[in-house]
Amino acid sequence: MNSRIRSVDVLRGFAVAMMVLCNNPGNTDRNYIQLRHMPWGGLTFADFAFPFFIIVMGITIPVVIEKRLALKVGMAAIISKVFIRSIILILLGLFLNGFPIFDFHSMRIPSVLARLGIVYLFASIVFLIVKKSFKDDRYVIGSLIIISFIIILGYYFFIKPYGFNIEGNLEQKIDSYYLSGHLAYITWDPEGIISTIPSIATGLLGCIMGCLLNYKNINDYYKVAGMIALSIVGFIGASLFSRVIPYNKMIWTSSFVLITGAVAALSLALLYLVCDIYKKEGLLKPFIFLGSSPIFVYLVSELIRKTIWRIPIYDAQFKEPLLFCRWVTLRFVTPWAGQWLDSLYFSILYVMLWMWISSKLYAKDKIIKI
């Protein structure tokens, strides 16, 4: 992959857009249902945001590592770079959790960025070992598929004895024992210890997609066919697994890994056809801009969510002080959007604002990489 693959850039931007969209409702009292995570089992649009983010990160792993191997960079140096970036992501996650109070006695430890860092570390090391073991891309892809399947199947049997209910599951037991007082909820965390294991499989599914895109001995249409085949296998596996273990983002069930991976693979196949084969990415450029500095956009948008959005605003039109984001929604969006969709429109407009900011940075070649 000597030049940038636009479909990957678009998918990355779409993942960032989903995360910003779902994390910033204009009015939490009537947040659009598809922008809310399911409290336990089931799926909504919001539940695809984080897996897509992990998958896109996984897609880039073969690109980066193969470039370094081509430049004769040693394994120790590559692993060192991977380890440093992973630590940075974990530390940024801790910073975001603590901001702005930094109460270390009760501060949440798991985080989205920490999980990204852990998945990046393990997925990179697995890919590097497999790549050094096999020169043929077919064996590399096959090995990654086998390893992913072992993790997905192993995780199912690992947590099955404890059940999949919100009370008594293995995630709850492990989190409450090792991280008590430092969780998103009293006894468990959606980015907890045990559920990080299957998220590594999510990252490896991204690596498989990256290997397909990077495959040098097949043409573009075979790459699309390969991703569609991967998505079909994922849909079938998700359907079978969902009969015994439901879709559940909160404990990242095996069926959840497969369904999100399948949707991502199909999305990438379609985007690759449109953006890289037919070169028709024009209308999708805002997502390219947004995805050019993904961690930066996510980090700053979360800082804003924890500060500016929480500033109380006093307005004579309302009988009580309102949080800033809710005040903006009720004052400027609700009058024309109505009470049913005002929160959704606020979120969409906020994403569009970030697209505009990102386009200005992109135009000046100011790509903020973390």
Side-chain angles (χ1 to χ4, degrees):
M1 243 184 317
N2 295 324
S3 58
R4 295 194 67 85
I5 295 182
R6 308 303 273 174
S7 53
V8 176
D9 293 335
V10 171
L11 190 62
R12 182 190 295 110
F14 188 65
V16 175
M18 283 195 289
M19 296 188 80
V20 174
L21 186 73
C22 298
N23 289 349
N24 294 275
N27 187 344
T28 55
D29 289 344
R30 48 177 178 258
N31 188 14
Y32 189 61
I33 189 169
Q34 286 298 320
L35 300 189
R36 287 181 272 169
H37 294 296
M38 289 297 291
W40 195 245
L43 281 174
T44 64
F45 177 80
D47 292 324
F48 286 87
F50 192 19
F52 269 41
F53 208 95
I54 291 177
I55 287 169
V56 174
M57 180 185 68
I59 292 171
T60 63
I61 287 173
V63 183
V64 174
I65 288 182
E66 289 198 18
K67 283 183 178 179
R68 289 173 181 170
L69 290 173
L71 294 172
K72 307 299 182 183
V73 179
M75 284 190 66
I78 294 174
I79 292 174
S80 176
K81 287 181 178 293
V82 167
F83 185 77
I84 290 171
R85 184 168 188 244
S86 299
I87 292 298
I88 290 173
L89 288 171
I90 292 170
L91 291 176
L92 285 175
L94 288 172
F95 168 78
L96 193 58
N97 283 349
F99 185 86
I101 300 174
F102 296 100
D103 181 1
F104 297 105
H105 292 95
S106 60
M107 191 177 79
R108 182 188 176 202
I109 292 177
S111 68
V112 166
L113 292 178
R115 176 165 288 185
L116 279 174
I118 293 169
V119 172
Y120 178 71
L121 175 63
F122 282 95
S124 296
I125 291 175
V126 169
F127 173 76
L128 182 58
I129 292 172
V130 171
K131 184 64 181 178
K132 293 292 285 186
S133 301
F134 302 104
K135 300 302 180 184
D136 193 319
D137 288 340
R138 292 174 298 177
Y139 295 125
V140 173
I141 293 172
S143 299
L144 292 175
I145 290 174
I146 291 171
I147 294 169
S148 300
F149 180 74
I150 290 172
I151 295 173
I152 292 168
L153 189 62
Y155 180 65
Y156 165 68
F157 285 113
F158 188 48
I159 67 173
K160 181 183 176 181
Y162 298 87
F164 312 119
N165 295 322
I166 194 168
E167 294 293 336
N169 64 79
L170 186 59
E171 177 78 62
Q172 184 189 59
K173 291 181 180 296
I174 297 296
D175 284 354
S176 61
Y177 183 82
Y178 289 102
L179 297 175
S180 179
H182 299 279
L183 301 167
Y185 303 102
I186 295 175
T187 59
W188 65 282
D189 196 291
E191 276 75 55
I193 296 172
I194 296 299
S195 61
T196 298
I197 296 172
S199 68
I200 295 172
T202 299
L204 290 176
L205 291 178
C207 285
I208 294 167
M209 298 176 207
C211 289
L212 281 169
L213 294 180
N214 212 24
Y215 205 131
K216 300 176 179 61
N217 297 324
I218 58 175
N219 65 37
D220 287 337
Y221 291 100
Y222 279 115
K223 293 177 181 180
V224 172
M227 285 182 285
I228 291 175
L230 183 64
S231 71
I232 291 173
V233 172
F235 281 122
I236 293 172
S239 177
L240 293 174
F241 258 112
S242 66
R243 298 176 185 179
V244 293
I245 179 170
Y247 303 128
N248 191 319
K249 176 194 175 292
M250 298 305 171
I251 54 174
W252 216 274
T253 55
S254 301
S255 57
F256 179 75
V257 173
L258 289 168
I259 191 65
T260 52
V263 173
L266 182 60
S267 302
L268 184 60
L270 296 175
L271 287 172
Y272 190 76
L273 194 66
V274 171
C275 300
D276 297 291
I277 296 179
Y278 295 121
K279 312 293 184 183
K280 301 293 184 181
E281 79 275 10
L283 293 176
L284 299 171
K285 282 187 176 179
F287 292 103
I288 295 176
F289 302 146
L290 191 61
S292 61
S293 305
I295 303 298
F296 169 77
V297 172
Y298 172 76
L299 182 64
V300 176
S301 68
E302 286 296 286
L303 292 175
I304 290 173
R305 182 176 67 86
K306 300 182 76 171
T307 52
I308 295 176
W309 282 172
R310 295 183 179 183
I311 295 174
I313 299 294
Y314 297 87
D315 189 320
Q317 181 178 340
F318 308 103
K319 297 180 180 180
E320 60 180 350
L322 302 175
L323 297 181
F324 183 68
C325 61
R326 188 175 181 182
W327 175 77
V328 170
T329 302
L330 294 177
R331 193 77 168 79
F332 301 105
V333 181
T334 306
W336 57 268
Q339 294 186 354
W340 185 46
L341 292 176
D342 56 351
S343 183
L344 172 62
Y345 281 121
F346 172 88
S347 301
I348 292 173
L349 290 169
Y350 186 56
V351 171
M352 292 174 67
L353 173 63
W354 271 109
M355 286 178 171
W356 177 79
I357 294 171
S358 299
S359 70
K360 298 301 180 182
L361 294 173
Y362 191 89
K364 295 179 180 179
D365 200 27
K366 293 182 178 179
I367 308 301
I368 305 172
K369 294 183 178 181
I370 299 176

